[in-house]
Amino acid sequence: MLKRTIFIVIALLLTLLTAGANAAETKNAAPAPYQGLDFASELKDAPRRIIPLFPQSLGLIYLFGEQKNVVGMPFTKVKVSLHKGGFFSQADRAVMLKKDIGYPGMPNIESLIGFKPDLIITPSNFHMKANRFLDDMKIPQLRVHGTFSETHHWLEAVENFGKIVRKEEQAKKYIDYFNSKFDIVRERVKKAAPKSRIKVAHLVKAGNKYIAYGQKSSFVKSFLNEIDCDVMGFDNKNDAETTLSQEEIIKFDPDFVFIESITHATGKIKVELAEGFWPRLSAYRNGRIHFVPVDDESAFLTSWYFNLAAPLGILWTAKTIYPQLFADIDTDAEADRFYIEFLKIDRRKMLQANESVKKSAEK
């Protein structure tokens, strides 16, 4: 009887200890990624002091014309050029008057708190040490997936931000536009019923390497898959960033290769295709290596594969793969209209500015 009692007491103690450990682990664990507004009750009106804490959130700011309400910028991770005709000179000439607030991996907490923001846009899948301070102060935080997402996540973020800044009509207008371009591509490709899916490799140039897949390019992998492309690395799109393996791309042997050559921190990067594996690819031999269009070579926001201008990227990709199927689509004219309609920017001035910058660099 005594032995049985001792056994029961020990079992109960072990159960309590295990439960305590699990509770502590749960308490300290980072929350699962999600999109939404934390401390919404603290936001009484449209925000007037906004901090976009990471570069990918800037698309929301400029889409809704909220730059005048931004008090801090992630300058450490964002290249800004105010050259005549460029994106920032047209959209936000006062941008350099804003203060640097760091970035999710190294936020300037003193500045974050000192600015007394009524809204901070933070990444959904990056749990900062600063979160507990922001939570304790009950500062409203809009969590968004940014480029670490799928297309419907981006449109959800647009809808959420539109509600917050009281510009639901602009959100609807953009979402309808995005979906209409997507529908055109999907319907035509489906109707054409190609014999086999087109094999596509999407690469991001980063320094002296190429990123083949991972969370930072999952957005593009998502829409390429939705327009019925067989995308290299699609099953691994939510993994950590993975550098291109020559063996993998040679084995996959894509029909088309689309390369992004601009980053938010450095602007456009020179790509020479000098690596030895390129001539071994069908895409290279057939002249099907394409660089994703960028309208201002110093501003990553103008890349057609970035969330903001993705409708243009979807049309351009479809026309590049199926030129006859989309012969009636004038992507240049479409892009001109897009920038005027949604950003109040003259795209032609950006393109001219690129040429001026190049000529100045050559002197």
Side-chain angles (χ1 to χ4, degrees):
M1 181 68 178
L2 180 61
K3 289 182 179 180
R4 178 177 174 81
T5 302
I6 293 173
F7 176 79
I8 293 173
V9 170
I10 292 173
L12 286 171
L13 287 172
L14 288 172
T15 301
L16 290 171
L17 287 171
T18 302
N22 289 339
E25 184 178 343
T26 301
K27 183 178 180 180
N28 295 326
Y34 65 94
Q35 292 201 130
L37 180 63
D38 293 345
F39 303 106
S41 62
E42 299 296 319
L43 193 58
K44 308 301 182 185
D45 202 351
R48 292 290 178 264
R49 300 181 64 78
I50 303 173
I51 290 180
L53 192 55
F54 67 119
Q56 291 82 1
S57 63
L58 293 176
L60 293 171
I61 296 298
Y62 293 106
L63 174 60
F64 287 91
E66 288 296 307
Q67 49 268 48
K68 65 183 181 300
N69 292 321
V70 170
V71 295
M73 288 277 287
F75 285 127
T76 310
K77 292 292 185 179
V78 177
K79 177 181 173 65
V80 173
S81 173
L82 286 172
H83 63 277
K84 185 178 179 180
F87 177 86
F88 285 103
S89 69
Q90 291 194 59
D92 193 3
R93 287 198 61 80
V95 64
M96 297 309 294
L97 298 178
K98 299 172 175 58
K99 302 296 183 182
D100 186 12
I101 42 75
Y103 58 97
M106 193 176 293
N108 186 328
I109 297 176
E110 184 178 348
S111 293
L112 283 175
I113 296 174
F115 286 142
K116 297 181 180 178
D118 46 17
L119 180 69
I120 298 178
I121 308 177
T122 63
S124 62
N125 61 341
F126 199 111
H127 192 63
M128 307 174 299
K129 291 181 180 179
N131 281 133
R132 69 174 183 271
F133 294 102
L134 303 178
D135 290 349
D136 289 343
M137 296 186 69
K138 296 184 178 180
I139 298 175
Q141 300 164 58
L142 175 63
R143 297 186 179 276
V144 299
H145 292 327
T147 54
F148 320 144
S149 62
E150 298 183 6
T151 49
H152 69 276
H153 292 137
W154 163 240
L155 297 182
E156 180 184 61
V158 168
E159 183 177 18
N160 288 342
F161 193 66
K163 291 177 181 177
I164 290 170
V165 297
R166 310 296 196 268
K167 295 179 180 178
E168 292 92 338
E169 288 186 9
Q170 175 74 348
K172 184 179 185 306
K173 180 180 175 182
Y174 177 84
I175 291 170
D176 288 347
Y177 176 84
F178 191 111
N179 285 330
S180 69
K181 304 310 171 187
F182 222 156
D183 288 344
I184 288 172
V185 172
R186 281 186 292 221
E187 288 171 7
R188 291 192 186 185
V189 172
K190 183 178 180 180
K191 188 175 181 180
K195 294 180 180 179
S196 60
R197 299 178 75 195
I198 301 296
K199 294 194 294 183
V200 169
H202 163 242
L203 307 177
V204 179
K205 182 67 172 175
N208 61 355
K209 62 184 178 181
Y210 295 94
I211 303 301
Y213 44 81
Q215 291 180 339
K216 288 188 178 181
S217 64
S218 64
F219 175 80
V220 176
K221 301 290 193 294
S222 171
F223 80 63
L224 288 172
N225 178 69
E226 287 193 55
I227 60 175
D228 206 32
C229 292
D230 180 6
V231 187
M232 186 181 79
F234 180 76
D235 292 339
N236 307 101
K237 65 184 176 65
N238 293 320
D239 293 351
E241 280 191 1
T242 303
T243 304
L244 175 66
S245 160
Q246 296 187 21
E247 293 78 12
E248 182 176 13
I249 195 169
I250 290 171
K251 182 179 179 180
F252 185 74
D253 196 20
D255 301 305
F256 288 83
V257 177
F258 297 113
I259 301 175
E260 288 189 75
S261 57
I262 189 169
T263 70
H264 50 74
T266 63
K268 191 167 184 179
I269 300 172
K270 188 175 182 180
V271 182
E272 296 182 337
L273 304 181
E275 295 84 358
F277 67 87
W278 290 109
R280 299 178 64 180
L281 303 181
S282 299
Y284 181 90
R285 296 193 298 271
N286 295 325
R288 291 177 172 176
I289 308 290
H290 299 277
F291 293 92
V292 178
V294 178
D295 293 308
D296 178 344
E297 295 182 358
S298 67
F300 80 102
L301 289 156
T302 67
S303 167
W304 288 14
Y305 272 10
F306 180 63
N307 301 30
L308 181 60
L312 303 177
I314 291 167
L315 289 175
W316 171 79
T317 302
K319 184 164 183 171
T320 301
I321 296 175
Y322 305 103
Q324 294 182 334
L325 200 58
F326 294 90
D328 61 314
I329 302 292
D330 185 339
T331 52
D332 260 344
E334 191 69 46
D336 291 346
R337 289 191 294 270
F338 173 85
Y339 276 98
I340 289 294
E341 186 76 17
F342 291 103
L343 299 166
K344 306 297 186 287
I345 287 177
D346 186 333
R347 175 173 172 264
R348 292 293 157 174
K349 287 184 179 180
M350 284 197 292
L351 298 180
Q352 292 168 9
N354 286 337
E355 296 304 316
S356 298
V357 170
K358 287 178 184 177
K359 290 178 181 178
S360 297
E362 292 170 357
K363 291 180 180 179

